[in-house]
Amino acid sequence: MTADHVLRALEAVSAERAEGSVLSVRGLTVRFRLRGGRTVDAVSDADFDLGAGECLALVGESGCGKSVLASALLGLLPGNAETSGTTLLAGPEGGAGTDLLAADEKTLARTVRGRRVGLVPQSPAAHLTPVRTVRSHLEETVRALTGTSRRARREAAETAAERAAFPAGHLDRHPHELSGGLAQRAATALALIGDARLLLADEPTTGLDRDLVDRTVDELRRHADEGRALLLITHDLAAAARIADRVAVMYAGRIVEVAPAHRFFGPTGPRHPYARGLLDALPDRAFTPIPGMPSELSDLPEGCAFAPRCPRATVRCGTRPAPTAGVACHHPEQPRA
């Protein structure tokens, strides 16, 4: 099979995946304008699709642009942000989809956030009002989304808590009375109230011990298995390995590799040198750190941003590599034996 045949086959698979996707992202770019005319390219040309019942883990070092990407999908970027590309969110059954980047604030607030996209935030306790109980948070969210009667709101709040495995006996507690794991379940319950088809979990395991991390991501996986699409944004590779179907690796604002999780974490391993380095840095693997420091997003090189740290870099890496077969690299690693 020739290279042209391979590329056409991959394009056909990509088109088929996009057609049946809950979320289809093409060329998503986020740039921040700073004083003095400086710019920060936080996300550059991100492409991926996410289907119902699927978990895509977006991984990478802190500061690589993962959370900015999530904020762009929800329309929660600051005023100095400029965006381009398309982020098509599938509509209700038989309904038209919505380009989240093109939608105005009224559309996002009334028809998207909470209803079609649920957010499970990082540090959930910081997103809960300290003087209100969990029940009060849930009922207020039900009222905002559905406007039902007081009795119906109470029943809907208790149902959401049950779906998130939040104990009914803790509903009348305040955020400071909850453990980290229970606060995370409360945040998940809030995200589930609108029965959103897409869940964005932005670093949902920060500050939790290993046992709570496993329980939290298992709970998120259960909701994906019920038919929701789950975008898990994390730097915890063990959590990604536990529940992800596919892995997208981000470096300096760019997605440099997208691979099935079984291959990424399996014996053959990832093919991008940075992705390979992430795995090799884990304590249960080679425990070898990636040399050097990440490039500043305000001063990215013209070519491959990872080249200054890459042992495989050549003069060719002075030009930006185009993604081929899911890997944006001029010199991808060969699969391990």
Side-chain angles (χ1 to χ4, degrees):
M1 182 178 287
T2 67
D4 287 342
H5 285 120
V6 172
L7 287 175
R8 281 198 292 270
L10 290 171
E11 288 171 356
V13 171
S14 178
E16 182 179 353
R17 179 183 288 276
E19 185 176 348
S21 295
V22 173
L23 177 68
S24 182
V25 175
R26 293 291 180 271
L28 171 57
T29 297
V30 180
R31 172 177 292 178
F32 294 107
R33 293 283 181 183
L34 306 180
R35 291 179 179 176
R38 294 172 58 238
T39 60
V40 174
D41 295 318
V43 180
S44 300
D45 294 318
D47 289 346
F48 63 88
D49 297 294
L50 182 56
E54 181 184 27
C55 172
L56 174 66
L58 181 62
V59 304
E61 293 169 294
S62 296
C64 68
K66 304 187 301 295
S67 293
V68 173
L69 186 150
S71 296
L73 296 177
L74 290 167
L76 297 176
L77 293 170
N80 66 330
E82 299 175 351
T83 62
S84 60
T86 60
T87 54
L88 185 62
L89 177 67
E93 293 297 330
T98 302
D99 185 348
L100 299 176
L101 293 187
D104 57 27
E105 173 59 25
K106 182 178 180 180
T107 299
L108 292 171
R110 293 188 176 184
T111 68
V112 174
R113 298 187 198 119
R115 292 173 172 84
R116 294 164 61 192
V117 181
L119 173 65
V120 182
Q122 181 179 2
S123 304
H127 287 73
L128 300 173
T129 304
V131 297
R132 303 182 66 180
T133 65
V134 175
R135 186 190 302 277
S136 176
H137 281 90
L138 292 171
E139 291 187 2
E140 174 61 21
T141 303
V142 172
R143 186 195 66 76
L145 294 179
T146 65
T148 56
S149 66
R150 186 181 184 89
R151 180 175 179 178
R153 290 199 297 269
R154 185 180 183 89
E155 292 176 352
E158 292 175 353
T159 299
E162 183 179 357
R163 290 165 68 188
F166 187 90
H170 290 64
L171 281 171
D172 294 312
R173 294 190 178 186
H174 293 81
H176 72 275
E177 298 176 293
L178 304 177
S179 66
L182 285 179
Q184 188 62 63
R185 292 185 185 186
T188 303
L190 287 167
L192 293 173
I193 284 176
D195 203 23
R197 293 183 62 197
L198 172 62
L199 291 180
L200 299 183
D202 186 9
E203 300 284 7
T205 59
T206 299
L208 303 182
D209 61 38
R210 194 75 250 164
D211 181 59
L212 282 177
V213 167
D214 291 346
R215 281 192 278 170
T216 297
V217 296
D218 286 349
E219 190 65 32
L220 290 171
R221 177 72 238 190
R222 182 173 67 83
H223 297 304
D225 291 339
E226 292 174 353
R228 295 178 178 83
L230 172 62
L231 178 59
L232 173 65
I233 297 174
T234 184
H235 62 269
D236 188 336
L237 292 176
R242 189 175 180 90
I243 69 166
D245 298 296
R246 289 185 300 133
V247 180
V249 182
M250 182 173 260
Y251 183 79
R254 290 185 174 275
I255 294 178
V256 297
E257 182 168 5
V258 180
H262 68 84
R263 177 173 70 75
F264 188 91
F265 294 107
T268 57
R271 300 194 62 203
H272 195 281
Y274 172 66
R276 185 73 62 91
L278 282 180
L279 284 186
D280 286 344
L282 294 176
D284 60 345
R285 302 220 177 193
F287 205 25
T288 303
I290 301 173
M293 296 294 292
S295 301
E296 292 288 340
L297 294 179
S298 59
D299 189 27
L300 294 175
E302 290 186 5
C304 175
F306 187 61
R309 307 172 70 187
C310 181
R312 303 173 66 87
T314 66
V315 175
R316 189 181 178 192
C317 300
T319 60
R320 184 171 295 166
T324 303
V327 185
C329 181
H330 291 303
H331 309 292
E333 301 270 4
Q334 294 302 311
R336 288 168 171 156

